[in-house]
Amino acid sequence: MSRRAVIAGNWKMHNLQKEAAELTNGIMSELKEENKEALPEVIIAPTFTSLYAANKALKDCGCGKVRLAAQNCYFEEKGAFTGECSVQMLKDAGCEYIIIGHSERREYFGETDEMVNKKAKAILNEGLVPIICCGESLAQREAGVTDYHIASQITKALIGLTKEEVSKSIIAYEPIWAIGTGKTCDSAEANRVIGMIRKVVKGLYDETTGEAIRILYGGSVKPNTIKEQMAQSDIDGALVGGASLTADSFAQIVKGAM
Ligand code: PGA
């Protein structure tokens, strides 16, 4: 089964509205000559306050080559949850995807596997696509518990989801020690872990579901690493942090995945 590649830019807590609009326009201008059908699914994830500006830039361009994601959501629909944004609100702001369970959210904001699961359900209920992050710390890798930890994170994230829901979801494998450090995980090793994740999904569901789900690699992806990463059998794309903050490097990564 051929899976469509995905390149998603996680802007983290960067870019004011003006900068977000400029970066969005810059990315679209870099991709201007590219045929839409030949491109991977290109996603940008600005911070909440810049979603409007990025969405407006995308709509004004109208080329349909780049899609919008949020970096987080809350799983309740509405109510007394000060400071939170519901999936419906993010959909209203133009988002089609939502990143959940990023290691920074797990580490600094106490996001648990149970919350990730509730968020995945809420996202899928609204017809959006969750980008479910998982990844081991350096200590876990050195202790030899990487596969066990990742399998557990994924199994818990998917509790109660149907085959159809899982088939259209996206997983991002991001070893924590590779995020923002410049230490990219060796491509063969990233592919091995991603293959393991695919096996877990096949075991929980079936062969078709495991073959359908897109699984990305994230952690210091750069223009000069993407080709080798995309050449791996199980890596379907990348979740890019630092290198998604300039139009030129992000576009090079997008083009490297074509
Ligand atoms: P990085 O971030 O590309 O800067 O390592 C990746 C991520 O955290 O999604």
Side-chain angles (χ1 to χ4, degrees):
M1 186 186 296
S2 71
R3 296 178 292 266
R4 187 169 182 210
V6 178
I7 299 294
N10 173 10
W11 293 1
K12 307 194 179 184
M13 203 170 74
H14 294 285
N15 293 327
L16 302 178
Q17 298 191 61
K18 184 169 172 284
E19 294 158 340
E22 279 166 9
L23 180 51
T24 307
N25 285 326
I27 292 165
M28 287 185 299
S29 131
E30 294 278 348
L31 301 179
K32 195 167 66 226
E33 305 300 328
E34 307 300 332
N35 182 333
K36 192 176 152 190
E37 275 66 49
L39 282 171
E41 226 162 279
V42 183
I43 303 169
I44 53 171
T47 194
F48 288 145
T49 52
S50 288
L51 285 172
Y52 176 81
N55 191 41
K56 183 169 185 312
L58 293 178
K59 280 206 205 130
D60 289 349
C61 167
C63 66
K65 290 178 182 172
V66 179
R67 301 176 179 284
L68 200 62
Q71 299 172 17
N72 178 33
C73 65
Y74 194 55
F75 48 79
E76 295 289 353
E77 256 171 54
K78 59 173 93 159
F81 303 104
T82 302
E84 293 296 315
C85 269
S86 71
V87 176
Q88 205 181 23
M89 288 164 182
L90 296 168
K91 188 175 172 180
D92 187 46
C95 295
E96 295 177 81
Y97 307 77
I98 304 179
I99 299 171
I100 53 176
H102 190 281
S103 60
E104 286 151 17
R105 295 221 51 89
R106 293 180 192 256
E107 185 179 345
Y108 306 132
F109 305 102
E111 193 156 320
T112 62
D113 288 327
E114 191 189 347
M115 287 161 77
V116 173
N117 177 241
K118 285 183 176 167
K119 290 179 183 194
K121 283 182 183 152
I123 293 165
L124 287 157
N125 279 340
E126 280 294 334
L128 274 62
V129 178
I131 301 176
I132 305 165
C133 302
C134 61
E136 82 285 2
S137 65
L138 187 59
Q140 286 169 323
R141 175 157 283 268
E142 285 172 354
V145 297
T146 297
D147 292 16
Y148 171 81
H149 175 68
I150 305 291
S152 156
Q153 283 187 321
I154 292 306
T155 304
K156 289 175 183 161
L158 302 182
I159 290 173
L161 302 187
T162 65
K163 276 195 252 190
E164 292 69 30
E165 288 174 331
V166 173
S167 298
K168 62 183 178 205
S169 298
I170 297 173
I171 291 174
Y173 166 57
E174 300 202 303
I176 299 171
W177 48 270
I179 296 178
T181 57
K183 285 187 205 141
T184 318
C185 179
D186 175 71
S187 298
E189 171 59 9
N191 191 55
R192 187 196 67 75
V193 177
I194 288 176
M196 185 278 298
I197 297 172
R198 206 176 291 292
K199 271 209 198 99
V200 169
V201 176
K202 287 181 185 175
L204 291 170
Y205 294 88
D206 54 23
E207 180 74 18
T208 318
T209 311
E211 283 298 318
I213 190 166
R214 269 99 49 92
I215 312 179
L216 318 181
Y217 166 76
S220 298
V221 172
K222 296 183 227 46
N224 65 3
T225 66
I226 190 70
K227 279 212 181 327
E228 187 186 297
Q229 286 154 343
M230 293 307 294
Q232 307 295 317
S233 58
D234 280 287
I235 302 183
D236 299 321
L239 180 56
V240 188
S244 73
L245 292 174
T246 64
D248 172 59
S249 63
F250 187 61
Q252 280 186 54
I253 292 171
V254 169
K255 290 176 195 173
M258 288 173 77

